[in-house]
């Protein structure tokens, strides 16, 4: 039963004298929403036509004329029906997601643009669009995308990295694991605790290429998982062995930190210790400066 229905039943029970005034006050207070009480009625309805191009670029990081094109390319439907049966227009929901993804944006920061939508609805709509896009296009970053990772393109990426000072001339991208902190869970705390960063977290593995895109993404996995473990589970190495080949048939590689094993298609810095030479240090420094 929704909070609104529960309060209506309480009012009926009080009117019929089924409960006392004290019981009504107690139960009504328990069934009151804990959401912040924002003055939604003071804000206008969302209307893309009323926005200027500079506003769209500042709030959504997309030009106004490009928003319909983006919606068409992504296959955004005319409307989204949320799990609690609210209906949000497709363009409005897409703009909510774009606004939410801007730097340091909370749902309360979106009230001036989508103010007549409760914060809970904005949250559901944003997640709904995000799930829709991921389900439709996740294969482009979770599988080997030949459209962006074909041999001529890989060679172009490798040439770009080498021209920026990296000593390797066959490195087309950089691999790393990233730790995303989360609130401490009530259960499975050991599994999600990352001892290196000292936070409870989820981890992802990403391969970045010189044009700024993520070429491959794996995750989330539990925060305590080692980068080498993620690499093994992701199946990336077999993908590299079958696909990381230049147009002339030469093997290409990605470059990671010392946590990764050395393979033909996966290179890492020289480890410091006995026998570590100035040339090795210079190599490590050059590769680090050549990464995006």
């Amino acid at each position: 039963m929704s909070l609104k229905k529960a309060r209506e039943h309480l009012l009926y029970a009080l009117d019929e004298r089924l409960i006392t005034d004290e019981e009504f006050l107690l139960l009504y207070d328990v069934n009151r929403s804990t959401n912040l009480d924002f003055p939604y009625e003071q804000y206008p309805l969302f209307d893309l036509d009323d926005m200027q191009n500079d506003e769209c670029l500042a709030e959504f990081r997309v030009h106004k004329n490009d928003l319909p094109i983006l919606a068409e390319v992504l296959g955004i439907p005319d409307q989204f029906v949320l799990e609690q049966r609210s209906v949000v227009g497709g363009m409005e929901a897409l703009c909510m997601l774009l606004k939410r993804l801007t730097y340091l944006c909370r749902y309360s920061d979106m009230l001036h643009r989508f103010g007549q939508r409760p914060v809970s609805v904005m949250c559901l709509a944003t997640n709904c669009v995000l799930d829709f896009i991921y389900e439709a296009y996740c294969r482009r970053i979770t599988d080997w995308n030949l459209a962006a990772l074909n041999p001529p393109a890989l060679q172009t990426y490798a040439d770009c990295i080498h021209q920026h000072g990296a000593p390797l001339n066959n490195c087309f991208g950089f691999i790393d694991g990233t730790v995303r902190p989360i609130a401490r869970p009530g259960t499975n705390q050991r599994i999600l605790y990352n001892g290196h960063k000292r936070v409870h977290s989820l981890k992802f593995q990403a391969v970045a290429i010189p044009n700024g895109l993520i070429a491959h993404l794996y995750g989330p996995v539990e925060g305590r998982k080692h980068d080498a473990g993620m690499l093994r589970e992701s199946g990336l190495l077999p993908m590299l062995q079958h696909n990381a080949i230049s147009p002339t048939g030469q093997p290409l590689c990605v470059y990671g930190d010392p946590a990764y094993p050395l393979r033909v298609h996966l290179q890492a810095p020289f480890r410091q210790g006995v026998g570590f030479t100035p040339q090795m240090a210079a190599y490590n420094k050059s590769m680090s400066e050549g990464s995006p």
Side-chain angles (χ1 to χ4, degrees), residues 14 100 102 113 241 275 282:
L14 177 66
R100 174 65 173 160
T102 56
R113 185 60 63 193
Q241 293 167 1

Side-chain angles (χ1 to χ4, degrees), residues 35-109:
N35 293 332
L36 297 177
D37 188 17
F38 293 108
Y40 297 107
E41 67 281 353
Q42 296 182 11
Y43 299 100
L45 292 170
F46 172 77
D47 190 347
L48 184 60
D49 293 335
D50 289 341
M51 297 184 64
Q52 301 298 318
N53 181 67
D54 289 345
E55 291 180 299
C56 291
L57 195 58
E59 295 188 29
F60 309 139
R61 294 187 289 191
V62 178
H63 289 284
K64 182 177 180 179
N65 292 337
D66 291 337
L67 283 169
I69 300 174
L70 178 62
E72 181 180 357
V73 170
L74 293 176
I76 300 297
D78 292 335
Q79 63 183 28
F80 289 95
V81 179
L82 309 182
E83 59 185 66
Q84 36 71 283
R85 297 188 296 277
S86 292
V87 178
V88 180
M91 180 58 73
E92 181 181 3
L94 176 61
C95 289
M96 286 181 185
L97 175 62
L98 294 174
K99 176 68 175 176
R100 174 65 173 160
L101 292 179
T102 56
Y103 184 65
L104 288 179
C105 177
R106 299 171 297 179
Y107 287 111
S108 58
D109 300 327

